[in-house]
Amino acid sequence: MKSFIKILILFFCGISVGQISFETAEYFGLSGNVKTIEEITYKLMFISGLDSNGKLIEQNWTKRHSLMSFDENNLLTKEVFIGVKNNKQTVDYIRNQNGVLIDLKSNGKYILDGHFDRVFEEREKKLLTIAGIIEKDLFIGDTIKSTYDKEGRISKIYYKKKSYNKLKIGYCDVLYDNNNIKSLNCYLDKGQLISTKTYDYNEYNKIEKIKERIIIDDLTKNINILFFDKNQHVNNEIKEYYDNGKLRYSILKKFETLKEVYKATKDSLGFVLKKTDKTFDLRGNLITLTTNYTKNGKYYESSERYTYDERFNIINFSKNSQDKIINNNFKYKYDTKGNWILKCFLTDSKLNKAKANALTLRQIAYHNSGKDEVLTKEEAINFCDSTYFNRLDMFKKDVEQNIKKGNIEVEEKN
């Protein structure tokens, strides 16, 4: 009979085959059966300059333009990014009949980076679970082959490793205690030990601690220790960094519901050099971030706070760092499906007096129902900042006066 560990691995790998399943309309915070969503971000600012044709430089110019398409199952099928010079980068998500991603086709790198950022984010969450850690341990990225014992469990892993710009073959021995993985020892091709990993279990046969030691030239380089809660999720992590066998510094992390809530960096004597604390709401949105650190003998502290509306979209971000205070506000206009079609970036803490310095305009089309409400650029600017066009007229008059005085330089329009 196959061991529990192997069943767990196979189950988890079955999930990871569809690793891009998180790229759905819901993942991007969209409700309803979205077909396409086009986003254009405009930067709103006044620039005293003329283009090469002698006209006032455009004051509300496109900063970002993108398009996403989804199928009727809410799975992402295409992304398009349009640059300021109308150059297009696209990526097509090729899926099989079950909706599992089987290929990516792209004519550029930008969107692929966004895709891999999302993959990396999900992978980091996975690595805070026992299943994700075991998968990583037993299915090393550059695995050449694996051998199995009579119980059908992986007993040895052969892999490729790049060391000092030379490609070397290494192997790992996997040891078990009954059905539980007990240790993982890895070597270079000549038998040089480069890492050890041990797995400790509690009385209920659940993993409570994993300790890994990284070795270079027979000296300890790093020690990483993971502690687990009753859900088999990481709740504490300790990383120790050594130089010539002596402790240089260490990092302590604490996690809640797969999110890092505390991080402290300490020197070899245990003195805290830097500390961060985070709090989240029940939906997983970041609420507060506090950072304390010492630099050149001076103590510094900064704090951030995030506030969201009833639809969980951010409406305020504030940061207080020494004598510097940042306060950004956001307001939205929503369609009948509850998706925002306009996001305003405001510069003043008082919404009724706020000036917009940017906005993002959306056009959303739905399967079977077409487009919902569509705003023009002018309507969007007026919604975000009702004083904008009056201020723009006054600004243009000032520019005309400066032109007469010869104070305006001609600039090439991008």
Side-chain angles (χ1 to χ4, degrees), residues 163-314:
S163 179
Y164 301 106
N165 295 320
K166 293 182 179 180
L167 189 62
K168 297 185 177 181
I169 305 299
Y171 62 92
C172 297
D173 288 326
V174 188
L175 301 179
Y176 297 88
D177 181 7
N178 293 323
N179 285 331
N180 295 324
I181 184 171
K182 181 181 179 181
S183 64
L184 180 71
N185 299 319
C186 297
Y187 306 83
L188 288 181
D189 51 355
K190 295 182 179 180
Q192 181 184 1
L193 183 65
I194 59 172
S195 70
T196 64
K197 183 174 283 192
T198 57
Y199 306 77
D200 294 341
Y201 295 79
N202 62 20
E203 58 184 314
Y204 304 105
N205 214 28
K206 299 278 190 179
I207 293 180
E208 60 181 4
K209 183 177 76 172
I210 297 177
K211 181 176 180 179
E212 180 181 29
R213 184 165 70 104
I214 308 298
I215 303 163
I216 296 179
D217 297 330
D218 297 326
L219 293 175
T220 298
K221 187 66 177 178
N222 302 332
I223 291 179
N224 305 323
I225 307 174
L226 298 176
F227 300 88
F228 297 85
D229 61 20
K230 63 181 180 180
N231 296 316
Q232 295 288 266
H233 295 164
V234 174
N235 59 5
N236 285 281
E237 177 184 36
I238 298 174
K239 289 188 174 184
E240 297 177 342
Y241 298 85
Y242 292 80
D243 188 10
N244 291 322
K246 295 183 179 180
L247 179 66
R248 290 178 54 228
Y249 66 96
S250 61
I251 297 176
L252 169 64
K253 294 182 180 181
K254 295 181 180 181
F255 300 87
E256 294 178 4
T257 60
L258 304 182
K259 290 185 178 293
E260 180 188 307
V261 297
Y262 175 85
K263 179 179 178 180
T265 302
K266 301 180 180 181
D267 64 16
S268 59
L269 299 177
F271 180 77
V272 176
L273 303 174
K274 185 176 182 179
K275 182 180 73 169
T276 59
D277 291 275
K278 297 178 184 178
T279 62
F280 298 85
D281 62 18
L282 294 177
R283 196 179 174 88
N285 293 316
L286 180 63
I287 298 298
T288 61
L289 169 61
T290 304
T291 303
N292 304 278
Y293 62 97
T294 302
K295 185 177 181 181
N296 297 328
K298 293 184 178 180
Y299 176 79
Y300 297 88
E301 180 177 348
S302 67
S303 61
E304 299 177 12
R305 176 170 288 276
Y306 301 78
T307 307
Y308 304 86
D309 64 13
E310 67 278 3
R311 292 182 173 92
F312 306 105
N313 290 312
I314 187 168

Side-chain angles (χ1 to χ4, degrees), residues 23-178:
E23 285 177 331
T24 63
E26 291 84 359
Y27 180 86
F28 294 99
L30 299 168
S31 58
N33 201 5
V34 174
K35 182 178 182 180
T36 61
I37 176 168
E38 182 179 14
E39 287 190 3
I40 305 177
T41 298
Y42 297 100
K43 188 74 175 177
L44 308 179
M45 58 190 300
F46 296 156
I47 305 173
S48 298
L50 303 178
D51 62 24
S52 57
N53 296 318
K55 295 182 179 180
L56 183 65
I57 291 176
E58 185 179 7
Q59 305 298 299
N60 35 70
W61 44 276
T62 302
K63 183 180 180 182
R64 189 178 188 279
H65 188 180
S66 63
L67 176 72
M68 289 191 294
S69 300
F70 301 87
D71 64 18
E72 292 187 351
N73 295 315
N74 287 336
L75 295 174
L76 183 63
T77 58
K78 181 188 284 288
E79 284 186 279
V80 180
F81 174 78
I82 304 171
V84 293
K85 296 183 179 180
N86 287 323
N87 52 310
K88 287 187 178 181
Q89 297 184 44
T90 65
V91 60
D92 291 297
Y93 294 76
I94 312 301
R95 303 177 185 274
N96 64 18
Q97 60 183 3
N98 296 319
V100 176
L101 186 76
I102 57 176
D103 195 12
L104 291 172
K105 293 184 178 180
S106 174
N107 70 339
K109 183 181 177 184
Y110 178 85
I111 301 177
L112 279 180
D113 284 347
H115 161 76
F116 288 120
D117 285 344
R118 296 192 291 269
V119 172
F120 181 78
E121 180 183 347
E122 292 301 306
R123 178 179 176 273
E124 290 299 294
K125 289 181 182 178
K126 245 192 227 181
L127 293 179
L128 294 175
T129 67
I130 285 294
I133 292 168
I134 296 296
E135 179 192 30
K136 175 179 176 291
D137 289 348
L138 298 188
F139 293 91
I140 298 172
D142 291 324
T143 297
I144 300 173
K145 69 173 183 177
S146 299
T147 60
Y148 298 82
D149 62 18
K150 62 182 181 180
E151 300 293 331
R153 304 171 302 193
I154 293 176
S155 59
K156 189 180 286 285
I157 306 166
Y158 295 89
Y159 63 91
K160 295 181 292 185
K161 181 179 180 64
K162 195 171 185 179
S163 179
Y164 301 106
N165 295 320
K166 293 182 179 180
L167 189 62
K168 297 185 177 181
I169 305 299
Y171 62 92
C172 297
D173 288 326
V174 188
L175 301 179
Y176 297 88
D177 181 7
N178 293 323

